[in-house]
Amino acid sequence: MAETTTTATRPTGFRSAELGWPELHRIPHPPRRLPLLGDVLGVDRATPLQDSVRFARRLGPIFRRRAFNREFVFTWGAELVADLADESRFAKHVGLGVANLRPVAGDGLFTAYNHEPNWQLAHDVLAPGFSREAMAAYHPMMLAVAGQLTDHWDREQMAGRSVDVPGDMTKLTLETIARTGFGHDFGSFERDRPHPFVTAMVGTLTYAQRLNSVPFPALVRRAARRNADDIAYLNRMVDDLVRARRGARGDGDLLDRMLETAHPETGERLSPENVRRQVITFLVAGHETTSGALSFALHYLSRHPEVAARARDEVDRVWGATDAPGYDQVAKLRYVRRVLDESLRLWPTAPAFAREAVEDTVLAGQHPMRRGAWTLVLTPMLQRDPEVWGADAERFDPDRFDPKAVRSRPPHVFKPFGTGARACIGRQFALHEATLVLGLLLRRYELRADPGYRLSVTERLTLMPDGLRLHLERRAGSAAMAAPVANPDEAPVPASESRCPVHRAGD
Ligand code: HEM
């Protein structure tokens, strides 16, 4: 797919940051900067995010890094990030890795520039697809896919084998978004190897990340050819999927909305090219990050048996005898949700988002920025800031998301889903799916960690635990047989209701 960029839409990630930061010299950078190369000493090309977190600890709440001819400003201090969340002065910046995805996702929701008309059009047409009613309609399909996962895990457990957590979570989340959003079955659980869609997607994400660390794309010509093949495959697959739907009746899922729904005010519809880009966007954005979130949560649950026991008690109490909870019974799993939030705090699986000044301004009264200047918010560091989260910020503790503890913190210090108008549209979808699946797994299995495993994190724009395997023990059914007990503390967490699922207090 040829990418056409005008001057106005060319990603500014390829310009040096000093263009927009008149007092850049006041922002610290790593020592031992090399002429031409920049801050490359001691960095690992495969883990740019984790390298940035290391630099952040040494350099403070705002710092910069130079890679060859490009300089990037990173921000993570709570006061600075709260200021960047001010939508009247800042907006999403499409740069770096996100801009590198333009050849595959174009002006799809995630990669669209703010000024592109297709962003507002698609946002307005697709947001109702994440309302409470829509979510309740997806729930039975989510349960069915989770059933495929537990069938697979039962077989592995009976055979005495450990399970491949990230691999199986990826199968689960891909099937879930494909079936709920597009009525499509990838047959992931019937395959020994990942579906070619997953291989092509991982290829494009890895390539997009790699482009950040090379001075000229020409240096990765072979990888670029492979990337072009991956994109061609994704396009073909999506075109087949859309063709099969045209003329057939869907059941009001996301694809139906993309094909059939006109904008409520303008009457405009998404073009066929834009539908293709949205389908790819949702298939990718809708599963990769949730898969990582579930994998990290399972890792922590296996390492903290006391947390797993408390979460399991909650599931048994709230769900009672049923292994097929209703939609509202998932939202009542308050403690399981805290486990998920705490995992996303330590490892936000979309680990950064970029903000640009929409006017000349001064960031937090300290750093002048010209219109268009941008910075990357380093979420893992924001969410581990000892000044906000305490001296034990690195420790896994779901009680940090107890409502009282949440109220005691300033706003904008927990941002795994981004911020403002361009925050994650699929947030409720991801949280519902992940809470449901954690509940089902806790109820069915005891999770046993491999004592030799040390958490290592793979980066491909998103984060994922590398090589995580768990041993399972089936639980005796008795605890699960109790009748549900009413607990006033367990009223469902309010979902998005009829409001736009993206805009919410604190964003
Ligand atoms: C735990 C899971 C997830 C995490 C951590 C996550 C994180 C994020 C973040 C940080 C952004 C903002 C990016 C930016 O500002 O550049 C975002 C945007 C987006 N996410 Fe998610 N996401 C998750 C799940 C999902 C799901 C399940 C879907 C779809 C079903 C989805 C679809 C999108 C889309 C379409 C956007 C772009 C929204 C816009 O700009 O209008 N995400 N996500």
Side-chain angles (χ1 to χ4, degrees), residues 92 109-110 119 177 285-286 289-290 349 353 416-418 422 424-426:
K92 168 163 170 157
L109 265 189
F110 191 81
W119 179 77
I177 183 64
T289 42
T290 314
T349 47
F353 57 91
F417 293 98
R422 302 292 303 267
C424 182
I425 199 171

Side-chain angles (χ1 to χ4, degrees), residues 2-3 42 54 63 88 98 185 215 253 289 294 300 374 448-449 498:
E3 165 81 336
R54 274 196 298 114
F63 65 98
S88 68
V98 176
D185 184 342
D253 60 12
T289 42
L294 273 164
Y300 285 115
W374 61 276
R448 301 270 179 257
S498 55

Side-chain angles (χ1 to χ4, degrees), residues 104-367:
V104 59
D107 61 357
L109 265 189
F110 191 81
T111 40
Y113 293 108
N114 298 319
H115 63 265
E116 284 178 305
N118 274 343
W119 179 77
Q120 191 73 57
L121 172 61
H123 175 86
D124 294 351
V125 165
L126 298 177
F130 295 92
S131 65
R132 191 186 183 288
E133 283 114 345
M135 296 295 308
Y138 303 146
H139 175 80
M141 283 181 262
M142 290 186 178
L143 257 179
V145 177
Q148 286 196 299
L149 171 74
T150 50
D151 286 350
H152 172 61
W153 277 21
D154 284 354
R155 284 194 297 274
E156 296 299 282
Q157 187 270 332
M158 298 236 294
R161 286 191 290 265
S162 61
V163 292
D164 165 9
V165 175
D168 290 341
M169 291 306 117
T170 300
K171 289 181 178 180
L172 170 103
T173 53
L174 176 64
E175 287 303 323
T176 303
I177 183 64
R179 291 197 212 166
T180 54
F182 305 96
H184 184 72
D185 184 342
F186 280 100
S188 300
F189 284 102
E190 287 93 63
R191 294 170 169 273
D192 293 333
R193 308 179 65 188
H195 190 283
F197 175 85
V198 174
T199 313
M201 177 208 72
V202 168
T204 54
L205 291 179
T206 309
Y207 178 74
Q209 170 160 307
R210 192 150 170 224
L211 280 184
N212 288 339
S213 61
V214 293
F216 313 105
L219 290 180
V220 285
R221 230 179 243 138
R222 253 196 29 225
R225 272 200 298 274
R226 227 176 13 246
N227 186 53
D229 289 346
D230 285 340
I231 293 177
Y233 172 81
L234 293 172
N235 286 340
R236 272 199 313 278
M237 198 226 89
V238 167
D239 289 350
D240 288 348
L241 192 155
V242 172
R243 203 172 305 114
R245 174 64 63 89
R246 282 193 197 277
R249 274 179 58 86
D251 52 6
D253 60 12
L254 284 177
L255 185 53
D256 268 355
R257 274 178 205 282
M258 290 173 188
L259 294 172
E260 310 289 345
T261 307
H263 189 278
E265 280 152 30
T266 65
E268 217 185 323
R269 287 169 192 271
L270 305 187
S271 68
E273 177 61 17
N274 190 255
V275 168
R276 177 202 250 185
R277 291 173 155 183
Q278 304 295 0
V279 176
I280 294 179
T281 297
F282 276 86
L283 284 176
V284 176
H287 89 279
E288 172 79 359
T289 42
T290 314
S291 162
L294 273 164
S295 301
F296 283 111
L298 288 166
H299 166 72
Y300 285 115
L301 284 167
S302 74
R303 292 297 168 120
H304 295 268
E306 72 296 348
V307 172
R310 194 168 147 196
R312 189 173 286 123
D313 280 354
E314 179 183 64
V315 181
D316 287 343
R317 198 173 60 245
V318 173
W319 289 1
T322 183
D323 273 325
Y327 176 80
D328 282 338
Q329 279 175 298
V330 176
K332 286 180 182 168
L333 296 182
R334 291 280 177 89
Y335 187 69
V336 174
R337 169 66 189 277
R338 282 177 217 162
V339 169
L340 197 58
D341 283 345
E342 177 66 347
S343 307
L344 279 169
R345 179 183 75 82
L346 288 168
W347 295 107
T349 47
F353 57 91
R355 301 285 286 169
E356 69 181 35
V358 295
E359 58 188 36
D360 289 358
T361 187
V362 182
L363 176 59
Q366 300 165 46
H367 301 281

